[in-house]
Amino acid sequence: MTTAEFSNEFDTLVASYRRFKNFDDKENLDSIEFDEYEKSVFLTQAQEDLVKSYYSGKNPFRESFEANESLRRDLEKLVKTQKITDKITTNAPQGISDNSVFFKLPDDVWFITYESVHLKDEILECADDTEVIVVPTTQDDYYRISQNPFRQPSKRRALRLDVADGIVEIISKYNVSSYLVRYLQRPTPIVLIDLPNGLTINNVNKSTECILNSAIHREILLRAVQIALSSKFTGVKTEENGK
């Protein structure tokens, strides 16, 4: 669906709500209109809500996108993989462990779906030069994990804690040479026109098409219209506030 189609069908759906729905404030609904900036905001919000529901499993399938082929296809353009070799050494945060190393995540990371580290350490002998999984944990849980020999960092796993500003702390017993992360990037906003007067949506001010699978464009549109109407009238129920 192009930006022009999004805009035109948005207006058509709003008009159809006027004719066929019962709202608390029907008189004012007859005169409601949304400009291109407002529609872009609602479409972008609907798109982000949809991606979050697909990732978390709060969708009609009751599954996360990784467990469902259809959802994976819908979000495949958001999946990115990056291998990070540069460790943060200058002005690095204070580590929670003597074995901590720090990496800066890509700026567009939204949800991490897989992560591993490459171990390069002579102490490992035959297990040297291997890839091991990274297990995310919280600072609150770290102490308990560090006291449990079955959950500690080992030659089979490393731990990851989030620090701040997109920096992650990787804890491993062995030397980490690189960090591999696969993730969902935040989708670019749906901006229907070049925005005037310094307006931006997620730092974008140029007309931008929806990059997600066209199969879910209409679902984004329907959500956007519901969000738009619910922002004006209490009688409109959306999947988020009414169900």
Side-chain angles (χ1 to χ4, degrees):
M1 192 178 293
T2 65
T3 53
E5 289 171 332
F6 267 117
S7 180
N8 293 335
E9 293 197 28
F10 191 106
D11 292 337
T12 299
L13 286 172
V14 170
S16 71
Y17 272 87
R18 293 191 189 113
R19 291 193 300 271
F20 301 117
K21 301 294 182 182
N22 295 319
F23 296 112
D24 297 339
D25 196 351
K26 183 69 166 69
E27 181 178 349
N28 288 334
L29 181 64
D30 289 336
S31 62
I32 194 69
E33 290 183 356
F34 298 97
D35 63 30
E36 297 305 291
Y37 172 70
E38 291 173 316
K39 287 188 279 187
S40 298
V41 169
F42 294 130
L43 286 164
T44 299
Q45 181 181 340
Q47 175 180 242
E48 292 185 354
D49 287 349
L50 186 67
V51 172
K52 289 176 183 177
S53 72
Y54 278 21
Y55 173 78
S56 66
K58 295 179 180 178
N59 54 69
F61 296 102
R62 295 292 187 267
E63 294 178 317
S64 69
F65 88 102
E66 292 184 284
N68 184 286
E69 178 69 19
S70 175
L71 299 182
R72 287 200 299 274
R73 297 288 74 76
D74 289 341
L75 300 187
E76 62 184 356
K77 291 185 179 179
L78 299 182
V79 179
K80 298 179 70 175
T81 304
Q82 187 162 330
K83 186 175 185 178
I84 307 169
T85 57
D86 293 333
K87 303 174 188 176
I88 298 176
T89 55
T90 304
N91 298 322
Q94 178 64 48
I96 202 169
S97 165
D98 293 338
N99 297 320
S100 296
V101 292
F102 298 88
F103 294 92
K104 178 71 168 68
L105 292 171
D107 292 336
D108 59 349
V109 168
W110 215 22
F111 301 115
I112 295 175
T113 61
Y114 174 83
E115 52 192 322
S116 64
V117 291
H118 193 86
L119 301 181
K120 187 68 175 175
D121 197 317
E122 293 179 354
I123 298 175
L124 289 167
E125 298 180 344
C126 61
D128 187 20
D129 201 21
T130 57
E131 204 85 14
V132 301
I133 63 168
V134 171
V135 179
T137 188
T138 65
Q139 296 181 43
D140 289 341
D141 286 339
Y142 174 72
Y143 177 77
R144 289 189 293 273
I145 291 174
S146 66
Q147 302 303 305
N148 184 336
F150 298 103
R151 299 181 66 193
Q152 289 177 10
S154 67
K155 61 183 178 182
R156 294 185 177 86
R157 71 170 65 83
L159 301 178
R160 184 256 293 173
L161 295 92
D162 294 307
V163 183
D165 301 321
I167 296 173
V168 294
E169 178 177 0
I170 303 298
I171 302 174
S172 171
K173 291 178 62 176
Y174 306 101
N175 181 61
V176 174
S177 63
S178 63
Y179 171 56
L180 184 143
V181 57
R182 177 168 290 177
Y183 60 94
L184 289 181
Q185 68 175 126
R186 185 175 189 175
T188 53
I190 303 172
V191 183
L192 300 179
I193 60 170
D194 291 349
L195 298 176
N197 304 322
L199 293 173
T200 63
I201 300 175
N202 294 351
N203 296 319
V204 175
N205 62 2
K206 298 296 184 181
S207 175
T208 308
E209 304 281 352
C210 178
I211 67 171
L212 298 184
N213 192 315
S214 60
I216 58 174
H217 284 188
R218 199 160 306 283
E219 184 173 353
I220 293 171
L221 176 65
L222 292 172
R223 285 184 181 225
V225 170
Q226 291 176 333
I227 294 169
L229 293 175
S230 67
S231 72
K232 300 293 184 181
F233 301 98
T234 59
V236 181
K237 293 182 179 180
T238 71
E239 295 196 15
E240 295 297 322
N241 67 17
K243 296 185 179 180

